[in-house]
Amino acid sequence: MDIKTTLATQGYFQARSVAAPQPASAEEGFANFVSGFAATLSEGEATARAAMVGGADPHALVRALADSQLAVETVSTVRDKVVEAYQEILRMPV
């Protein structure tokens, strides 16, 4: 066996164990989702306030508004999917 192949194999297995996804609970995922949403909205509000008094770049304002809009659309889409799943469960015969 070639030494280069052995070293490459060892490096692969070390990198594989480090890059493996860590299992997270649904509660942690939802908490991260909500905190990220709140942070995006508060960042957008802060940038909008700074733009009103002339302390922010117009490009930063547009980016913050676009990020806020995307966050709100994402949350509303997730809400719609949850409501749809709930309605589907209610339609199931018992």
Side-chain angles (χ1 to χ4, degrees), residues 13-75:
F13 282 114
Q14 289 173 353
R16 184 174 156 193
S17 64
V18 172
Q22 301 297 322
S25 69
E27 293 174 4
E28 290 176 5
F30 185 72
N32 291 339
F33 177 72
V34 170
S35 65
F37 174 70
T40 300
L41 290 184
S42 64
E43 181 182 317
E45 289 176 3
T47 305
R49 282 191 199 107
M52 285 184 208
V53 296
D57 181 30
H59 297 289
L61 176 63
V62 170
R63 181 178 171 101
L65 291 175
D67 289 344
S68 297
Q69 181 181 3
L70 181 64
V72 169
E73 288 175 359
T74 302
V75 167

